[in-house]
Amino acid sequence: MSKIGLVLEGGSFRGIFTAGVLDSLLDHHISFPYVVGVSAGSGNAVNFIAGQRGRTKKVITHENADAYYGLGTLKTNGKVLDLDQMLAYEPMPLDFDKFFASDVESEFVAVNCQSGEAEYLSDDGTKESLLSICKASCSVPLMCAPVKIGDKAYLDGSIVDSIPYERAFMKGCDKVVVIQTRKAGEAPTDYSKMKLLLNVCYHTTYPKVAEVMVKRRYNYEKQMNRLEELVSDGKAIIIRPEVGSIGHFENDDEKINAFYQHGYELMESNMDKLQEFMKS
């Protein structure tokens, strides 16, 4: 029987699309032995493994988001994006017991600021470790400070490995289900147009980060070309939006909820295709 991995792309609030997809999978009791998430995909991964249907949607929806994103948080604690509040989200706390009781192998992608290389982090079985790793994976460059874990500093893993399907194969998966947050042809942020800002923010302390960020779009295109080959070979299936994406930090409730619903309905309409892929 094939070992199938679940690969979750990031995309800030665009992760609401992934939330819709995963809630559909939970409704159909579909699970995976291995899950790897990057950036917003990490938050989605944790909630999916814990079986908390609807949690990601509640965290991302704008009426709750003003507590941890925007000018208010900037004035309060000097952060544009407060990941501590976002990950904790007290109205519907993460079910740590259920997450740790799961036999799913999970990894979360973050970039080592010193080396500029992606690392695939796993928790040590404690709440503190899991939250630190997720926070590191979600630390959007230029908006969040690097997260310290031990003697290392980390930023958002999508800087280097936006779609970590190769990692899933390295971990023994035969096939992968990839959930993306951009429709076909949509490109990620082009950091090469921000060289001056990158140099100001990172050149002195983390020069490797500035270097890899400039190459991000080029590497993303290479990843996508290889992923399409895997789809043709029957080793991968992609679930991604068929409509234009919302903004990274969308503030229109209607658009956010519609993007979630699009993810849910798209997965429902592709359920037979997915189940056939998983059985073959």
Side-chain angles (χ1 to χ4, degrees):
M1 186 175 180
S2 296
K3 178 181 178 181
I4 301 173
L6 178 65
V7 179
L8 304 178
E9 185 181 36
S12 302
F13 282 15
R14 288 198 304 269
I16 197 76
F17 170 84
T18 303
V21 173
L22 297 183
D23 282 352
S24 170
L25 294 178
L26 287 172
D27 286 347
H28 288 268
H29 308 289
I30 293 176
S31 61
F32 301 83
Y34 173 82
V35 178
V36 57
V38 57
S39 195
S42 294
N44 266 303
V46 170
N47 295 328
F48 178 67
I49 293 168
Q52 289 185 273
R53 187 191 190 285
R55 185 173 189 271
T56 300
K57 184 174 186 291
K58 288 182 180 294
V59 172
I60 292 178
T61 48
H62 182 62
E63 58 266 30
N64 301 316
D66 57 5
Y68 50 76
Y69 169 71
L71 293 178
T73 61
L74 181 62
K75 292 177 181 177
T76 302
N77 53 30
K79 302 175 184 177
V80 176
L81 181 61
D82 190 335
L83 290 171
D84 291 302
Q85 288 197 53
M86 187 175 183
L87 291 169
Y89 188 61
E90 294 181 358
M92 188 178 181
L94 177 64
D95 190 337
F96 288 99
D97 290 340
K98 194 168 181 182
F99 176 87
F100 290 127
S102 171
D103 59 2
V104 175
E105 181 182 5
S106 58
E107 291 188 305
F108 308 93
V109 191
V111 172
N112 182 313
C113 293
Q114 284 82 8
S115 68
E117 297 179 352
E119 292 188 13
Y120 305 88
L121 308 175
S122 295
D123 65 88
D124 63 7
T126 64
K127 297 179 183 180
E128 294 76 16
S129 171
L130 179 61
L131 290 175
S132 293
I133 288 170
C134 287
K135 186 178 173 183
S137 182
C138 294
S139 291
V140 181
L142 305 177
M143 294 185 66
C144 300
V147 173
K148 284 289 188 75
I149 299 178
D151 60 352
K152 297 180 181 179
Y154 293 96
L155 279 170
D156 188 328
S158 63
I159 297 170
V160 173
D161 195 353
S162 298
I163 321 168
Y165 56 85
E166 291 290 358
R167 178 62 178 182
F169 289 119
M170 287 179 62
K171 296 295 289 185
C173 294
D174 304 295
K175 298 193 291 187
V176 293
V177 175
V178 178
I179 313 299
Q180 293 192 265
T181 58
R182 299 175 177 86
K183 71 176 183 178
E186 282 188 342
T189 302
D190 188 355
Y191 289 113
S192 67
K193 296 179 180 179
M194 308 178 192
K195 288 183 179 180
L196 179 59
L197 182 59
L198 295 179
N199 284 335
V200 170
C201 293
Y202 299 123
H203 181 71
T204 301
T205 51
Y206 303 120
K208 293 292 185 181
V209 168
E211 290 177 19
V212 295
M213 286 179 70
V214 169
K215 300 175 183 176
R216 193 270 182 101
R217 180 172 285 196
Y218 169 74
N219 290 332
Y220 187 88
E221 291 175 355
K222 285 179 61 178
Q223 280 192 311
M224 280 306 306
N225 290 336
R226 175 57 184 150
L227 180 56
E228 296 293 353
E229 292 176 358
L230 291 169
V231 171
S232 297
D233 293 340
K235 293 185 177 181
I237 186 172
I238 304 172
I239 305 297
R240 59 189 169 200
E242 295 181 352
V243 299
S245 297
I246 61 174
H248 275 79
F249 294 99
E250 184 63 62
N251 60 7
D252 186 314
D253 293 358
E254 187 174 340
K255 289 181 179 179
I256 292 172
N257 287 314
F259 207 46
Y260 166 87
Q261 195 62 31
H262 177 55
Y264 186 91
E265 293 175 356
L266 190 64
M267 189 65 263
E268 289 289 306
S269 66
N270 282 279
M271 191 58 65
D272 290 343
K273 179 180 177 182
L274 175 66
Q275 291 179 335
E276 183 61 33
F277 172 80
M278 295 179 71
K279 290 177 183 176
S280 62

